[in-house]
Amino acid sequence: LYELVTSGEMTDRARFSVHGRLEDVRLKQIQDDLKSHGLVEGFSLEQVYSRPELCDKNALSRIIICGALLRWCRGEALDDLEMRFRIMTGAILNVSETASWLAESLAAISRVIRGPRYLHRFFRRLAFALQNGLPYHLRPLFKIAGNILNRAELMLLYSRKIYNRSGLMTFPADQLELLIGIDKTSKLREKLDQNKKSLESEEDNMNLRGDHELFFEAEYNRDRLTVRFARRRFPLTLKSFKYLAKLACARLTDKSGWLHKEDLEPGFNQARYIYNLKKELGLNRDRKVLENNRSGFYRLNLEPNQISFNFENLRRLPDFEIKELINQLETIKACA
């Protein structure tokens, strides 16, 4: 954020100023808040903190706007931000819009230069948070309700652990009416019914067909989960099932299909688990189904129309990562 607000593009496009004096105690709180997120050595903000002579009035104002943007991305109310940081609401909106444009541009550059996929995804997520003043986890809900509910109402649903379509569908209607009113609840229910029909049509297309090479059946076989691959049924360990599901999701949501090993799982054992997955699927060296570009990226070498899922079974699984994958699959068009 500090790199964005100190860029030349920001200086040319956005105007912001701190009105009134910010108390030393309040300023220290802002600085501590930013520090708690970790300062990367060599970047501008770390240099300002390590060399007090660089922390002039100009740098302080940018530190303050960073603090405001950070909390804006978390969904905090504009009135609270204005009081806490002494920045006018219009200035916050102006700066956040420009910062979002810059983040979106960085995402595009990352894709053009074939940078790591996680980097492109990071900037896309940051751009969404800056543009809408919402945590990225709320994107599925925003896609459904963003034109019906305002930012405060979306955050209210977020506080009730409603993040997506499934959360809205299962939340009691009478409680929803108390939160957002009868009129907006009615509009949401109507839109959910329309989306449900559309999703059912998509699921019909993605569910098991005879010509699908890989089908995530997700049925329990003792302590394993089943997939059908090349017309054969394979019980996979949960680790292998999730690795394969993540690679399949990457193939459906990204044209290249490459997934960085850190997106599979943080750490250093991804190659071993990929080996285990190949073994459980009965793959030999001649079958290049799971590819490795020798730069830390893996890919499932299947066409998207060869991959299908049993969503009903997947939704029953209690695993958090699988639930996240379901959310991604339900918003394929939005995340494309």
Side-chain angles (χ1 to χ4, degrees):
L1 289 175
Y2 190 81
E3 295 293 331
L4 293 181
V5 301
T6 57
S7 67
E9 289 83 357
M10 180 68 77
T11 303
D12 293 339
R13 287 171 169 261
R15 297 287 181 269
F16 59 87
S17 61
V18 179
H19 59 92
R21 184 177 181 276
L22 204 67
E23 301 88 350
D24 292 340
V25 174
R26 187 80 61 83
L27 182 58
K28 187 177 186 308
Q29 289 175 348
I30 296 169
Q31 291 173 315
D32 290 343
D33 194 17
L34 293 177
K35 282 182 181 179
S36 68
H37 285 73
L39 298 175
V40 182
E41 186 177 351
F43 278 74
S44 302
L45 187 56
E46 187 272 339
Q47 293 177 15
V48 169
Y49 279 131
S50 61
R51 296 172 60 188
E53 68 273 13
L54 296 178
C55 200
D56 56 15
K57 183 179 179 180
N58 201 32
L60 280 176
S61 67
R62 282 167 167 75
I63 288 173
I64 292 167
I65 196 66
C66 274
L69 288 178
L70 190 63
R71 290 177 177 269
W72 161 258
C73 291
R74 293 176 185 167
E76 294 193 19
L78 278 170
D79 289 346
D80 294 340
L81 297 182
E82 187 170 341
M83 290 290 293
R84 175 185 289 271
F85 297 99
R86 303 286 194 270
I87 303 172
M88 298 297 290
T89 293
I92 295 173
L93 295 175
N94 188 16
V95 173
S96 64
E97 183 179 6
T98 303
S100 173
W101 169 76
L102 289 171
E104 193 70 52
S105 299
L106 288 168
I109 292 170
S110 174
R111 182 181 287 277
V112 168
I113 65 173
R114 299 181 182 275
R117 185 171 177 267
Y118 66 84
L119 191 62
H120 170 262
R121 187 173 61 193
F122 168 79
F123 283 121
R124 285 292 304 275
R125 291 180 174 183
L126 179 60
F128 171 85
L130 286 165
Q131 178 68 34
N132 300 291
L134 296 168
Y136 181 79
H137 300 299
L138 265 182
R139 184 174 182 179
L141 180 62
F142 178 82
K143 289 293 180 182
I144 295 170
N147 63 340
I148 298 173
L149 305 180
N150 59 38
R151 179 171 172 262
E153 290 166 335
L154 289 167
M155 288 303 300
L156 186 60
L157 296 187
Y158 185 45
S159 70
R160 300 301 195 278
K161 302 189 183 304
I162 302 173
Y163 314 115
N164 50 34
R165 184 182 69 88
S166 298
L168 278 173
M169 293 290 290
T170 56
F171 197 76
D174 56 341
Q175 294 185 33
L176 195 60
E177 289 177 359
L178 291 174
L179 291 175
I180 61 175
I182 296 175
D183 184 49
K184 290 187 176 182
T185 299
S186 176
K187 289 180 180 178
L188 265 183
R189 290 295 179 185
E190 184 180 343
K191 189 166 185 180
L192 285 171
D193 288 340
Q194 293 173 354
N195 286 356
K196 184 179 179 181
K197 293 177 182 177
S198 176
L199 282 170
E200 286 174 350
S201 175
E202 282 189 27
E203 287 186 14
D204 286 342
N205 292 331
M206 295 179 75
N207 275 339
L208 180 59
R209 297 288 185 272
D211 57 350
H212 280 168
E213 186 76 1
L214 176 62
F215 174 57
F216 287 83
E217 196 173 46
E219 291 184 357
Y220 276 107
N221 185 332
R222 296 182 181 179
D223 60 342
R224 299 191 171 206
L225 291 168
T226 59
V227 299
R228 289 189 181 274
F229 173 64
R231 301 183 184 277
R232 292 180 57 194
R233 198 171 191 234
F234 295 90
L236 303 182
T237 61
L238 180 59
K239 177 77 73 174
S240 293
F241 186 89
K242 289 199 289 187
Y243 264 50
L244 187 59
K246 288 178 182 179
L247 289 166
C249 190
R251 194 71 185 89
L252 292 169
T253 56
D254 188 282
K255 188 176 181 180
S256 70
W258 289 105
L259 188 67
H260 192 262
K261 61 182 182 180
E262 288 291 320
D263 290 323
L264 282 169
E265 183 179 41
F268 306 96
N269 296 314
Q270 298 91 341
R272 176 162 64 89
Y273 291 126
I274 288 289
Y275 173 80
N276 291 342
L277 172 58
K278 289 180 178 179
K279 193 173 179 181
E280 290 174 31
L281 284 174
L283 299 175
N284 55 39
R285 291 185 178 181
D286 296 330
R287 298 202 67 178
K288 305 296 183 182
V289 176
L290 296 173
E291 297 179 315
N292 177 5
N293 72 351
R294 308 300 176 187
S295 298
F297 286 81
Y298 293 92
R299 179 169 67 177
L300 179 62
N301 187 22
L302 293 175
E303 293 300 318
N305 60 9
Q306 294 179 299
I307 304 167
S308 58
F309 299 84
N310 187 322
F311 285 96
E312 185 177 351
N313 284 349
L314 284 170
R315 290 191 185 101
R316 293 196 187 106
L317 301 178
D319 189 88
F320 173 77
E321 288 184 292
I322 291 177
K323 290 185 183 298
E324 286 288 303
L325 288 174
I326 293 172
N327 290 339
Q328 289 184 45
L329 291 168
E330 288 181 339
T331 55
I332 285 175
K333 291 183 179 180
C335 297

Coordinates of all heavy atoms in Angstrom, one line a residue, residues 141-217:
L141 N -20.1 -13.1 -2.1 CA -21.4 -12.4 -1.7 C -21.6 -11.1 -2.4 O -22.7 -10.8 -2.8 CB -21.3 -12.2 -0.2 CG -22.5 -11.5 0.5 CD1 -23.7 -12.3 0.4 CD2 -22.2 -11.2 2.0
F142 N -20.5 -10.4 -2.6 CA -20.6 -9.1 -3.4 C -21.1 -9.3 -4.8 O -21.9 -8.5 -5.3 CB -19.2 -8.4 -3.4 CG -19.2 -7.1 -4.2 CD1 -19.6 -6.0 -3.5 CD2 -18.7 -7.1 -5.5 CE1 -19.6 -4.8 -4.2 CE2 -18.7 -5.9 -6.2 CZ -19.1 -4.7 -5.5
K143 N -20.7 -10.4 -5.4 CA -21.2 -10.7 -6.8 C -22.7 -10.9 -6.8 O -23.3 -10.6 -7.8 CB -20.4 -11.9 -7.4 CG -19.0 -11.6 -7.7 CD -18.8 -10.6 -8.8 CE -17.4 -10.3 -9.2 NZ -17.3 -9.3 -10.2
I144 N -23.2 -11.5 -5.8 CA -24.6 -11.8 -5.7 C -25.4 -10.6 -5.2 O -26.4 -10.2 -5.8 CB -24.9 -13.0 -4.8 CG1 -24.3 -14.2 -5.3 CG2 -26.4 -13.2 -4.5 CD1 -24.3 -15.4 -4.3
A145 N -24.9 -9.9 -4.2 CA -25.7 -8.9 -3.5 C -25.2 -7.5 -3.6 O -25.8 -6.6 -3.0 CB -25.9 -9.3 -2.0
G146 N -24.1 -7.3 -4.3 CA -23.5 -6.0 -4.4 C -24.3 -4.9 -4.9 O -24.2 -3.7 -4.6
N147 N -25.3 -5.2 -5.8 CA -26.2 -4.2 -6.4 C -27.5 -4.1 -5.6 O -28.3 -3.3 -6.0 CB -26.5 -4.5 -7.9 CG -27.2 -5.9 -8.0 OD1 -27.2 -6.7 -7.1 ND2 -27.9 -6.1 -9.1
I148 N -27.6 -4.8 -4.5 CA -28.8 -4.7 -3.7 C -28.4 -4.2 -2.3 O -29.1 -3.3 -1.8 CB -29.4 -6.1 -3.5 CG1 -29.9 -6.7 -4.9 CG2 -30.6 -6.1 -2.5 CD1 -30.4 -8.1 -4.8
L149 N -27.3 -4.6 -1.7 CA -26.9 -4.2 -0.4 C -25.7 -3.2 -0.5 O -24.9 -3.2 -1.4 CB -26.5 -5.4 0.4 CG -27.5 -6.5 0.5 CD1 -26.9 -7.6 1.4 CD2 -28.8 -6.0 1.1
N150 N -25.7 -2.3 0.5 CA -24.6 -1.3 0.6 C -23.4 -2.0 1.3 O -23.6 -3.1 1.9 CB -25.0 0.0 1.2 CG -25.5 -0.2 2.6 OD1 -25.1 -1.0 3.4 ND2 -26.6 0.6 2.9
R151 N -22.3 -1.3 1.4 CA -21.1 -1.8 2.0 C -21.3 -2.2 3.5 O -20.9 -3.3 4.0 CB -20.0 -0.8 1.9 CG -18.7 -1.2 2.5 CD -17.6 -0.2 2.1 NE -16.4 -0.4 2.9 CZ -16.0 0.3 3.9 NH1 -16.8 1.2 4.4 NH2 -14.8 0.0 4.5
A152 N -22.0 -1.3 4.2 CA -22.3 -1.6 5.6 C -23.1 -2.9 5.8 O -22.9 -3.7 6.7 CB -23.0 -0.4 6.3
E153 N -24.1 -3.0 4.9 CA -25.0 -4.2 5.0 C -24.2 -5.5 4.7 O -24.4 -6.5 5.3 CB -26.2 -4.0 4.1 CG -27.2 -3.0 4.6 CD -28.2 -2.5 3.6 OE1 -27.9 -2.7 2.4 OE2 -29.3 -2.1 4.0
L154 N -23.3 -5.4 3.7 CA -22.5 -6.6 3.4 C -21.6 -7.0 4.5 O -21.5 -8.1 4.8 CB -21.7 -6.3 2.1 CG -22.4 -6.2 0.8 CD1 -21.6 -5.6 -0.3 CD2 -22.9 -7.6 0.4
M155 N -21.1 -5.9 5.2 CA -20.2 -6.2 6.4 C -21.0 -6.8 7.5 O -20.6 -7.6 8.3 CB -19.5 -5.0 6.8 CG -18.4 -4.5 5.9 SD -17.1 -5.8 5.6 CE -16.5 -6.1 7.3
L156 N -22.3 -6.4 7.6 CA -23.2 -6.9 8.7 C -23.4 -8.4 8.5 O -23.4 -9.2 9.4 CB -24.5 -6.1 8.7 CG -25.5 -6.4 9.8 CD1 -24.9 -6.1 11.1 CD2 -26.8 -5.6 9.6
L157 N -23.6 -8.8 7.2 CA -23.8 -10.2 6.9 C -22.5 -10.9 7.1 O -22.5 -12.1 7.6 CB -24.3 -10.4 5.4 CG -25.6 -9.8 5.1 CD1 -26.0 -10.2 3.6 CD2 -26.7 -10.2 6.0
Y158 N -21.4 -10.3 6.8 CA -20.1 -10.9 7.0 C -19.9 -11.2 8.5 O -19.3 -12.2 8.9 CB -19.0 -9.9 6.5 CG -17.6 -10.4 6.6 CD1 -17.3 -11.7 6.1 CD2 -16.5 -9.6 7.0 CE1 -16.0 -12.2 6.2 CE2 -15.2 -10.1 7.0 CZ -15.0 -11.3 6.6 OH -13.7 -11.8 6.6
S159 N -20.3 -10.3 9.4 CA -20.2 -10.5 10.8 C -21.0 -11.6 11.3 O -20.8 -12.2 12.4 CB -20.6 -9.2 11.6 OG -22.0 -9.0 11.5
R160 N -22.0 -12.0 10.5 CA -22.9 -13.2 10.8 C -22.4 -14.5 10.1 O -23.1 -15.4 10.0 CB -24.3 -12.9 10.4 CG -25.0 -11.8 11.1 CD -25.0 -11.9 12.6 NE -26.0 -11.0 13.3 CZ -25.7 -9.7 13.5 NH1 -24.5 -9.2 13.2 NH2 -26.6 -8.9 14.1
K161 N -21.1 -14.4 9.6 CA -20.5 -15.5 8.9 C -21.2 -15.9 7.6 O -21.3 -17.1 7.2 CB -20.3 -16.7 9.8 CG -19.5 -16.4 11.1 CD -19.2 -17.6 11.9 CE -18.5 -17.3 13.2 NZ -17.3 -16.5 13.0
I162 N -21.8 -14.9 6.9 CA -22.4 -15.1 5.6 C -21.4 -14.6 4.6 O -21.2 -13.4 4.5 CB -23.7 -14.4 5.5 CG1 -24.7 -14.9 6.6 CG2 -24.3 -14.7 4.1 CD1 -26.0 -14.1 6.6
Y163 N -20.8 -15.5 3.8 CA -19.8 -15.1 2.8 C -20.2 -15.3 1.4 O -19.6 -14.7 0.5 CB -18.5 -15.8 3.1 CG -18.1 -16.0 4.5 CD1 -18.0 -17.2 5.1 CD2 -17.7 -14.8 5.2 CE1 -17.6 -17.3 6.5 CE2 -17.3 -14.9 6.5 CZ -17.3 -16.2 7.2 OH -16.9 -16.3 8.5
N164 N -21.2 -16.1 1.1 CA -21.4 -16.5 -0.2 C -22.9 -16.9 -0.4 O -23.7 -16.8 0.5 CB -20.5 -17.7 -0.6 CG -20.5 -18.8 0.4 OD1 -21.5 -19.0 1.0 ND2 -19.4 -19.4 0.6
R165 N -23.2 -17.5 -1.6 CA -24.6 -17.9 -1.9 C -25.1 -19.0 -0.9 O -26.2 -18.9 -0.4 CB -24.6 -18.5 -3.3 CG -26.0 -18.9 -3.8 CD -26.0 -19.4 -5.1 NE -25.3 -20.7 -5.1 CZ -25.9 -21.9 -4.9 NH1 -27.2 -21.9 -4.7 NH2 -25.3 -23.0 -4.9
S166 N -24.2 -19.9 -0.5 CA -24.6 -21.0 0.4 C -25.0 -20.4 1.7 O -26.0 -20.9 2.4 CB -23.5 -22.0 0.5 OG -23.2 -22.6 -0.7
G167 N -24.2 -19.4 2.2 CA -24.5 -18.8 3.5 C -25.8 -18.1 3.5 O -26.6 -18.2 4.5
L168 N -26.1 -17.4 2.4 CA -27.4 -16.7 2.2 C -28.6 -17.7 2.2 O -29.6 -17.5 2.8 CB -27.4 -15.9 1.0 CG -26.8 -14.5 1.0 CD1 -26.7 -13.9 -0.3 CD2 -27.5 -13.6 2.0
M169 N -28.4 -18.8 1.5 CA -29.5 -19.8 1.3 C -29.8 -20.4 2.6 O -31.0 -20.8 2.9 CB -29.0 -20.9 0.3 CG -28.9 -20.4 -1.1 SD -30.4 -19.9 -1.9 CE -31.2 -21.5 -2.1
T170 N -28.8 -20.7 3.5 CA -29.1 -21.4 4.8 C -29.4 -20.5 5.9 O -29.9 -20.9 7.0 CB -27.8 -22.2 5.1 OG1 -26.7 -21.4 5.2 CG2 -27.6 -23.3 4.1
F171 N -29.2 -19.1 5.8 CA -29.5 -18.2 6.8 C -31.0 -18.0 6.9 O -31.7 -17.7 5.9 CB -28.8 -16.9 6.6 CG -28.7 -16.0 7.8 CD1 -27.8 -16.3 8.8 CD2 -29.6 -14.9 8.0 CE1 -27.7 -15.5 9.9 CE2 -29.5 -14.1 9.1 CZ -28.5 -14.4 10.1
P172 N -31.6 -18.1 8.1 CA -33.1 -17.9 8.3 C -33.6 -16.6 7.7 O -33.0 -15.6 8.0 CB -33.3 -18.0 9.8 CG -32.1 -18.8 10.3 CD -31.0 -18.4 9.4
A173 N -34.7 -16.7 6.9 CA -35.2 -15.5 6.3 C -35.7 -14.5 7.2 O -35.5 -13.3 7.0 CB -36.4 -15.9 5.3
D174 N -36.3 -14.9 8.4 CA -36.8 -13.9 9.3 C -35.6 -13.1 10.0 O -35.8 -11.9 10.2 CB -37.6 -14.6 10.4 CG -36.9 -15.7 11.1 OD1 -35.9 -16.2 10.6 OD2 -37.3 -16.1 12.2
Q175 N -34.5 -13.8 10.2 CA -33.3 -13.1 10.8 C -32.7 -12.2 9.7 O -32.2 -11.1 10.1 CB -32.3 -14.1 11.3 CG -32.8 -14.9 12.4 CD -31.7 -15.8 13.0 OE1 -30.5 -15.5 13.0 NE2 -32.1 -17.0 13.5
L176 N -32.7 -12.6 8.5 CA -32.2 -11.8 7.4 C -33.0 -10.5 7.3 O -32.5 -9.4 7.0 CB -32.2 -12.5 6.1 CG -31.4 -12.0 4.9 CD1 -29.9 -11.9 5.3 CD2 -31.5 -12.8 3.7
E177 N -34.3 -10.6 7.4 CA -35.2 -9.4 7.3 C -34.9 -8.4 8.4 O -35.0 -7.2 8.2 CB -36.7 -9.9 7.4 CG -37.2 -10.6 6.2 CD -38.6 -11.1 6.3 OE1 -39.2 -10.9 7.4 OE2 -39.1 -11.7 5.3
L178 N -34.6 -8.9 9.6 CA -34.2 -8.0 10.7 C -32.9 -7.3 10.5 O -32.7 -6.2 10.9 CB -34.1 -8.9 12.0 CG -35.4 -9.4 12.6 CD1 -35.0 -10.3 13.8 CD2 -36.3 -8.3 13.0
L179 N -32.0 -7.9 9.7 CA -30.7 -7.3 9.4 C -30.8 -6.3 8.3 O -30.2 -5.2 8.4 CB -29.7 -8.4 9.1 CG -29.2 -9.3 10.2 CD1 -28.3 -10.4 9.6 CD2 -28.5 -8.6 11.3
I180 N -31.5 -6.6 7.2 CA -31.4 -5.8 6.0 C -32.8 -5.3 5.5 O -32.9 -4.5 4.6 CB -30.7 -6.5 4.8 CG1 -31.5 -7.8 4.5 CG2 -29.3 -6.8 5.2 CD1 -30.9 -8.4 3.2
G181 N -33.8 -5.7 6.2 CA -35.2 -5.2 5.9 C -35.9 -6.2 4.9 O -35.3 -7.0 4.3
I182 N -37.2 -6.1 4.9 CA -38.0 -7.0 4.2 C -37.8 -6.8 2.7 O -37.7 -7.8 1.9 CB -39.5 -6.8 4.5 CG1 -39.8 -7.2 6.0 CG2 -40.4 -7.7 3.6 CD1 -41.2 -6.9 6.5
D183 N -37.8 -5.6 2.2 CA -37.7 -5.3 0.8 C -36.4 -5.9 0.2 O -36.4 -6.6 -0.8 CB -37.7 -3.8 0.5 CG -37.7 -3.5 -1.0 OD1 -38.5 -4.1 -1.7 OD2 -36.9 -2.6 -1.4
K184 N -35.3 -5.6 0.8 CA -34.0 -6.1 0.3 C -33.9 -7.7 0.4 O -33.3 -8.3 -0.4 CB -32.8 -5.4 1.0 CG -32.7 -4.0 0.7 CD -31.4 -3.3 1.2 CE -31.3 -1.9 0.8 NZ -30.1 -1.2 1.3
T185 N -34.5 -8.2 1.5 CA -34.5 -9.7 1.6 C -35.2 -10.3 0.5 O -34.8 -11.3 -0.1 CB -35.1 -10.1 3.0 OG1 -34.3 -9.5 4.1 CG2 -35.2 -11.6 3.1
S186 N -36.4 -9.7 0.1 CA -37.2 -10.2 -1.0 C -36.4 -10.2 -2.3 O -36.4 -11.1 -3.1 CB -38.5 -9.4 -1.1 OG -39.2 -9.8 -2.2
K187 N -35.7 -9.1 -2.5 CA -34.9 -8.9 -3.8 C -33.8 -10.0 -3.8 O -33.5 -10.6 -4.8 CB -34.3 -7.5 -3.9 CG -35.4 -6.5 -4.2 CD -34.7 -5.1 -4.2 CE -35.8 -4.0 -4.5 NZ -35.2 -2.6 -4.6
L188 N -33.2 -10.2 -2.6 CA -32.1 -11.2 -2.6 C -32.6 -12.6 -2.8 O -32.0 -13.3 -3.6 CB -31.4 -11.1 -1.2 CG -30.2 -10.3 -1.0 CD1 -29.6 -10.4 0.4 CD2 -29.1 -10.6 -2.1
R189 N -33.7 -12.9 -2.2 CA -34.3 -14.2 -2.4 C -34.7 -14.5 -3.9 O -34.5 -15.6 -4.4 CB -35.6 -14.4 -1.5 CG -35.3 -14.5 0.0 CD -34.5 -15.7 0.3 NE -34.2 -15.8 1.7 CZ -33.4 -16.7 2.3 NH1 -32.9 -17.7 1.5 NH2 -33.1 -16.7 3.6
E190 N -35.2 -13.5 -4.5 CA -35.5 -13.6 -5.9 C -34.3 -13.8 -6.8 O -34.3 -14.6 -7.7 CB -36.2 -12.3 -6.3 CG -36.7 -12.3 -7.8 CD -37.4 -11.0 -8.2 OE1 -37.8 -10.3 -7.3 OE2 -37.6 -10.8 -9.4
K191 N -33.2 -13.1 -6.4 CA -32.0 -13.2 -7.2 C -31.4 -14.6 -6.9 O -30.8 -15.2 -7.8 CB -31.0 -12.1 -6.8 CG -29.8 -12.1 -7.7 CD -29.0 -10.8 -7.6 CE -27.8 -10.8 -8.6 NZ -27.1 -9.5 -8.5
L192 N -31.4 -15.1 -5.7 CA -30.9 -16.4 -5.3 C -31.6 -17.5 -6.1 O -31.0 -18.5 -6.5 CB -31.0 -16.6 -3.8 CG -30.0 -15.9 -3.0 CD1 -30.4 -16.0 -1.5 CD2 -28.6 -16.4 -3.2
D193 N -32.9 -17.3 -6.2 CA -33.7 -18.3 -7.0 C -33.2 -18.4 -8.5 O -33.1 -19.5 -9.1 CB -35.2 -18.0 -6.9 CG -35.8 -18.3 -5.5 OD1 -35.2 -19.1 -4.8 OD2 -36.8 -17.7 -5.2
Q194 N -33.0 -17.2 -9.0 CA -32.5 -17.1 -10.4 C -31.1 -17.8 -10.5 O -30.9 -18.5 -11.5 CB -32.5 -15.7 -10.9 CG -33.8 -15.0 -11.0 CD -33.7 -13.5 -11.3 OE1 -32.7 -13.0 -11.3 NE2 -34.9 -12.9 -11.5
N195 N -30.3 -17.4 -9.6 CA -28.9 -18.0 -9.6 C -28.9 -19.5 -9.4 O -28.1 -20.2 -10.0 CB -28.0 -17.3 -8.5 CG -27.6 -15.9 -8.9 OD1 -27.9 -15.5 -10.0 ND2 -26.9 -15.3 -8.0
K196 N -29.8 -20.0 -8.5 CA -29.9 -21.4 -8.3 C -30.2 -22.2 -9.6 O -29.6 -23.2 -9.8 CB -31.0 -21.7 -7.2 CG -31.1 -23.1 -6.8 CD -32.1 -23.4 -5.8 CE -32.2 -24.8 -5.4 NZ -33.2 -25.1 -4.3
K197 N -31.2 -21.7 -10.3 CA -31.5 -22.3 -11.6 C -30.3 -22.3 -12.6 O -30.1 -23.3 -13.2 CB -32.7 -21.6 -12.3 CG -34.0 -21.7 -11.5 CD -35.1 -21.0 -12.1 CE -36.4 -21.1 -11.3 NZ -37.5 -20.3 -11.9
S198 N -29.6 -21.2 -12.6 CA -28.4 -21.1 -13.4 C -27.4 -22.1 -13.0 O -26.7 -22.7 -13.8 CB -27.9 -19.7 -13.4 OG -26.7 -19.6 -14.2
L199 N -27.1 -22.1 -11.7 CA -26.1 -23.0 -11.1 C -26.5 -24.5 -11.3 O -25.6 -25.3 -11.6 CB -25.9 -22.8 -9.6 CG -25.0 -21.5 -9.3 CD1 -25.1 -21.3 -7.8 CD2 -23.6 -21.7 -9.7
E200 N -27.7 -24.8 -11.2 CA -28.2 -26.2 -11.4 C -27.9 -26.6 -12.9 O -27.5 -27.7 -13.1 CB -29.7 -26.3 -11.1 CG -29.9 -26.3 -9.6 CD -31.4 -26.3 -9.3 OE1 -32.2 -26.1 -10.2 OE2 -31.8 -26.5 -8.1
S201 N -28.1 -25.6 -13.8 CA -27.9 -25.9 -15.2 C -26.4 -26.2 -15.4 O -26.0 -27.1 -16.1 CB -28.3 -24.8 -16.0 OG -28.0 -25.0 -17.4
E202 N -25.5 -25.3 -14.7 CA -24.1 -25.5 -14.8 C -23.6 -26.8 -14.2 O -22.8 -27.5 -14.8 CB -23.4 -24.3 -14.1 CG -23.3 -23.1 -14.9 CD -22.4 -22.0 -14.3 OE1 -21.5 -22.4 -13.6 OE2 -22.7 -20.8 -14.5
E203 N -24.2 -27.2 -13.1 CA -23.9 -28.4 -12.4 C -24.2 -29.6 -13.3 O -23.5 -30.6 -13.3 CB -24.5 -28.5 -11.0 CG -23.9 -27.5 -10.0 CD -24.4 -27.7 -8.6 OE1 -25.1 -28.8 -8.4 OE2 -24.2 -26.9 -7.8
D204 N -25.4 -29.5 -13.9 CA -25.8 -30.6 -14.8 C -24.7 -30.8 -15.9 O -24.4 -31.9 -16.3 CB -27.1 -30.3 -15.5 CG -28.3 -30.4 -14.5 OD1 -28.1 -31.1 -13.5 OD2 -29.4 -29.9 -14.8
N205 N -24.2 -29.7 -16.4 CA -23.1 -29.8 -17.4 C -21.8 -30.3 -16.9 O -21.0 -30.9 -17.6 CB -22.9 -28.4 -18.1 CG -24.1 -28.0 -18.9 OD1 -24.9 -28.8 -19.4 ND2 -24.3 -26.6 -19.0
M206 N -21.6 -30.0 -15.6 CA -20.3 -30.4 -15.0 C -20.3 -31.7 -14.3 O -19.3 -32.3 -13.9 CB -19.8 -29.3 -14.0 CG -19.6 -28.0 -14.6 SD -19.1 -26.7 -13.4 CE -17.4 -27.2 -13.1
N207 N -21.6 -32.2 -14.0 CA -21.7 -33.5 -13.3 C -21.2 -34.6 -14.3 O -21.0 -34.4 -15.5 CB -23.1 -33.7 -12.8 CG -23.2 -33.1 -11.4 OD1 -22.3 -32.9 -10.7 ND2 -24.5 -32.9 -11.1
L208 N -21.2 -35.8 -13.8 CA -20.7 -37.0 -14.5 C -21.3 -37.2 -15.8 O -22.5 -37.3 -16.0 CB -20.9 -38.3 -13.6 CG -20.3 -39.6 -14.2 CD1 -18.9 -39.4 -14.4 CD2 -20.7 -40.7 -13.3
R209 N -20.4 -37.3 -16.8 CA -20.8 -37.7 -18.2 C -19.8 -38.8 -18.6 O -18.7 -38.9 -18.2 CB -20.7 -36.5 -19.1 CG -21.6 -35.3 -18.8 CD -23.1 -35.7 -19.1 NE -23.9 -34.5 -18.8 CZ -24.5 -34.3 -17.7 NH1 -24.3 -35.0 -16.6 NH2 -25.3 -33.2 -17.5
G210 N -20.3 -39.6 -19.6 CA -19.5 -40.7 -20.0 C -18.1 -40.2 -20.6 O -17.2 -41.0 -20.6
D211 N -18.1 -39.0 -21.2 CA -16.9 -38.6 -21.9 C -15.9 -37.8 -20.9 O -14.9 -37.3 -21.4 CB -17.2 -37.8 -23.1 CG -18.0 -36.6 -22.8 OD1 -18.5 -36.5 -21.6 OD2 -18.2 -35.7 -23.7
H212 N -16.3 -37.7 -19.7 CA -15.4 -37.0 -18.7 C -14.3 -37.9 -18.3 O -14.4 -39.0 -17.9 CB -16.2 -36.5 -17.5 CG -17.0 -35.2 -17.8 ND1 -17.9 -34.7 -17.0 CD2 -16.9 -34.4 -18.9 CE1 -18.4 -33.6 -17.5 NE2 -17.8 -33.4 -18.6
E213 N -13.1 -37.3 -18.4 CA -11.9 -38.1 -18.0 C -11.7 -38.1 -16.5 O -11.3 -39.2 -16.0 CB -10.6 -37.4 -18.7 CG -9.3 -38.1 -18.5 CD -9.2 -39.4 -19.4 OE1 -10.1 -39.6 -20.2 OE2 -8.2 -40.1 -19.3
L214 N -12.0 -37.1 -15.8 CA -11.8 -37.0 -14.4 C -13.1 -36.5 -13.7 O -13.6 -35.4 -14.0 CB -10.7 -36.1 -14.0 CG -10.4 -35.8 -12.5 CD1 -10.0 -37.1 -11.8 CD2 -9.3 -34.8 -12.4
F215 N -13.6 -37.3 -12.8 CA -14.8 -37.0 -12.0 C -14.6 -37.1 -10.5 O -14.2 -38.1 -10.1 CB -16.0 -37.9 -12.5 CG -17.3 -37.7 -11.7 CD1 -17.9 -36.4 -11.6 CD2 -17.8 -38.8 -11.0 CE1 -19.0 -36.3 -10.9 CE2 -19.0 -38.6 -10.3 CZ -19.6 -37.3 -10.2
F216 N -14.8 -36.0 -9.8 CA -14.6 -36.0 -8.4 C -15.9 -36.5 -7.7 O -16.8 -35.7 -7.4 CB -14.2 -34.6 -7.9 CG -12.9 -34.1 -8.2 CD1 -12.6 -33.6 -9.5 CD2 -11.8 -34.3 -7.3 CE1 -11.3 -33.2 -9.8 CE2 -10.5 -33.9 -7.7 CZ -10.3 -33.4 -8.9
E217 N -15.9 -37.8 -7.5 CA -17.1 -38.4 -7.0 C -17.3 -38.1 -5.5 O -18.4 -37.9 -5.0 CB -16.9 -40.0 -7.1 CG -18.2 -40.8 -7.0 CD -17.9 -42.2 -7.3 OE1 -16.9 -42.8 -6.9 OE2 -18.7 -42.8 -8.1

